């Protein structure tokens, strides 16, 4: 496989894995997103009837529920997308490697081509066919060939 093709193939793979990771991440976040309940809890209908201790306990309970919920959601999301995130990093590394290999190869070939061009003698040469015809004519004149 040509290095340019390898570079293009690894870039396509990286982009495909990245799209997959983003899609799964967005689905996961949407699934674990906390939506407010459709109807408020019973105690919220008449909060003025609650004592200050009860309100304090409700606030502490909500804080704990939010903290636990966010942590659990984070852990679940990481568990779901960890392999894809690693695959994304690996694909990006392969793309970087292929891009560097192709660039290095292009630089080497350019330098090699310049060195060859500099080594060629630029003096004009007679055409090979003309040169051969002239030599045959000389050999005929000398009687070496018929």
């Amino acid at each position: 496989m040509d290095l340019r093709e390898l570079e293009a193939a690894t870039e396509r793979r990286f982009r495909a894995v990245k799209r997959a990771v983003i899609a799964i991440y967005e689905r996961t976040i949407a699934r674990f997103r906390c939506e407010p309940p459709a109807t408020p809890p019973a105690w919220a209908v008449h909060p003025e009837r609650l004592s200050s201790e009860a309100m304090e306990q409700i606030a502490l309970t909500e804080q704990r529920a939010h903290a636990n919920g966010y942590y659990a959601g984070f852990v679940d999301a990481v568990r779901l997308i960890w392999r894809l995130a690693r695959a994304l990093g690996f694909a990006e590394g392969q793309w970087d490697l292929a891009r560097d290999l192709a660039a290095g190869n292009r630089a080497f070939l350019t330098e090699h081509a310049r060195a060859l061009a500099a080594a060629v003698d630029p003096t004009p040469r007679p055409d090979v066919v003309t040169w051969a015809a002239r030599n045959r004519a000389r050999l005929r004149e000398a009687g070496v060939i018929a």
Side-chain angles (χ1 to χ4, degrees):
M1 179 182 274
D2 183 5
L3 285 177
R4 288 173 296 198
E5 294 171 8
L6 178 67
E7 181 182 4
T10 55
E11 180 181 4
R12 284 191 302 273
R13 173 156 167 59
F14 167 72
R15 301 228 184 269
V17 172
K18 185 176 181 180
R19 281 191 303 272
V21 168
I22 289 172
I24 289 176
Y25 178 77
E26 287 174 354
R27 281 197 310 265
T28 303
I29 293 300
R31 192 172 70 196
F32 290 116
R33 188 176 292 131
C34 267
E35 297 294 332
T39 58
W43 59 264
V45 176
H46 297 288
E48 69 277 356
R49 294 182 186 167
L50 296 174
S51 67
S52 60
E53 292 84 18
M55 287 297 284
E56 186 178 327
Q57 289 302 315
I58 289 172
L60 289 173
T61 303
E62 281 186 336
Q63 287 174 359
R64 175 67 62 173
H66 279 290
N68 288 342
Y70 289 141
Y71 178 74
F74 173 77
V75 168
D76 289 341
V78 167
R79 187 177 298 125
L80 286 172
I81 67 167
W82 181 252
R83 285 187 183 153
L84 278 178
R86 286 186 61 204
L88 178 64
F90 184 74
E92 187 174 15
Q94 286 181 323
W95 181 32
D96 285 343
L97 179 62
R99 191 172 47 229
D100 291 345
L101 280 172
N105 187 43
R106 281 190 297 271
F108 169 76
L109 290 177
T110 301
E111 181 181 325
H112 188 62
R114 285 185 182 150
L116 283 175
V120 172
D121 186 11
T123 57
R125 303 278 183 219
D127 185 59
V128 174
V129 176
T130 308
W131 179 74
R134 198 174 324 130
N135 283 339
R136 273 196 295 277
R138 286 184 189 148
L139 290 174
R140 260 189 228 106
E141 288 174 7
V144 177
I145 59 172

